[in-house]
Amino acid sequence: MPFDLITIPCLSDNYAFLLRDHDSGKVAVVDVPEAGPIKTELEARGWTLDQVWLTHHHWDHVDGLADLLATYPAKVVGASADAHRLPPLDQAVAEGDTVVLGSLEAEVFDVSGHTVGHIALYVPKAKCCFTADSLMALGCGRLFEGTPAQMWGSMQKLMALPRDTTICSGHEYTASNAKFALTVDPDNAALISRSKDIEVRRENGEPTVPSTLSTELDTNPFLRPANPGIRATLGMQTASDADVFAEIRKRKDNF
């Protein structure tokens, strides 16, 4: 593989990610919930830090940035639409833009919903997408700012990526997401199997993030509003996909 991808647990249930391009040795970190674990990982590997990619403005994704930059003065990349409430940006990006890290290029997607101005970064050469609190393992982010229709539009963009894409999301919420998913998709054999695997992983203290898009497409109810079984469970056989998605999100909010 021409890259390294490192998952770093932060705070109580957050994740940051390090992406290193082998050709150039350049390293990016995606989100900075806290600086300590990221510094520890960089020091242990003997890596420096070239870029910081911020997905959205929430405190648990940016609070460690000043501390991290004091040791590693990297270039900060984030959404132009969110620049007024993000830390100062060196590169402001919007959907369709590209972020270059050595020989790797990240394509920027607007995945508003959880927040307005949330971005995801897809790196084709590394077959990974940093989705933070948009598409999550067995879930999607709570809609603090956007609408269900907006978030469903964001999900559709991510669903169109190659099935073997690694999905690097922002939190360890997968066990609770699995319990909810089974209430709307109870007969899904792949979901039942995944839920058991998640239980074992968490009992062993192992992360359930990243996941793969193929796994999410097969088990994540927020990507499956067209599924006849889910529609039957919800009594929404003739509703639009957007309306089924909205109902699933509403039920998760109240779960």
Side-chain angles (χ1 to χ4, degrees):
M1 291 190 296
F3 65 94
D4 297 298
L5 177 63
I6 310 298
T7 305
I8 305 176
C10 296
L11 302 175
S12 62
D13 57 23
N14 277 75
Y15 289 112
F17 299 91
L18 290 177
L19 179 66
R20 178 178 177 269
D21 170 47
H22 283 188
D23 290 350
S24 63
K26 290 189 178 298
V27 179
V29 65
V30 184
D31 289 338
V32 190
E34 59 176 331
I38 297 167
K39 287 182 180 180
T40 297
E41 198 69 47
L42 289 167
E43 289 163 9
R45 294 174 181 275
W47 295 352
T48 186
L49 185 65
D50 300 280
Q51 297 180 25
V52 178
W53 299 350
L54 300 177
T55 61
H56 65 298
H57 73 272
H58 281 166
W59 71 269
D60 60 333
H61 293 258
V62 304
D63 257 22
L65 182 61
D67 186 5
L68 184 65
L69 293 178
T71 305
Y72 299 98
K75 182 174 89 169
V76 181
V77 180
S80 54
D82 228 6
H84 60 291
R85 52 188 184 174
L86 284 169
L89 300 177
D90 298 299
Q91 182 180 355
V93 295
E95 180 158 287
D97 289 344
T98 299
V99 181
V100 177
L101 181 76
S103 70
L104 301 177
E105 294 187 350
E107 301 171 7
V108 178
F109 288 83
D110 180 331
V111 288
S112 292
H114 178 66
T115 65
V116 174
H118 194 309
I119 59 170
L121 297 116
Y122 169 56
V123 186
K125 192 172 175 182
K127 294 185 175 180
C128 66
C129 188
F130 300 98
T131 59
D133 296 2
S134 57
L135 174 58
M136 307 180 85
L138 269 181
C140 76
R142 187 181 288 267
L143 305 183
F144 287 117
E145 296 176 9
T147 65
Q150 203 169 22
M151 185 62 117
W152 174 234
S154 296
M155 294 298 102
Q156 288 176 289
K157 293 177 189 179
L158 299 171
M159 290 166 70
L161 296 174
R163 282 182 64 95
D164 62 352
T165 302
T166 299
I167 300 297
C168 300
S169 54
H171 288 274
E172 186 57 65
Y173 293 165
T174 321
S176 60
N177 285 346
K179 290 187 176 108
F180 168 74
L182 287 165
T183 68
V184 295
D185 198 9
D187 301 320
N188 183 339
L191 174 58
I192 293 165
S193 175
R194 185 181 184 189
S195 297
K196 291 174 182 172
D197 177 64
I198 289 163
E199 282 182 25
V200 171
R201 285 210 214 175
R202 295 311 294 153
E203 285 170 5
N204 293 333
E206 299 171 8
T208 64
V209 173
S211 58
T212 63
L213 182 58
S214 61
T215 299
E216 298 306 326
L217 288 168
D218 291 344
T219 57
N220 186 332
F222 293 99
L223 302 188
R224 294 165 53 77
N227 179 263
I230 291 177
R231 286 168 164 261
T233 298
L234 299 178
M236 298 182 72
Q237 288 89 336
T238 61
S240 68
D241 288 350
D243 284 345
V244 175
F245 174 86
E247 176 64 20
I248 296 169
R249 184 62 258 177
K250 185 172 86 173
R251 291 188 181 213
K252 179 64 168 69
D253 290 342
N254 297 317
F255 182 68

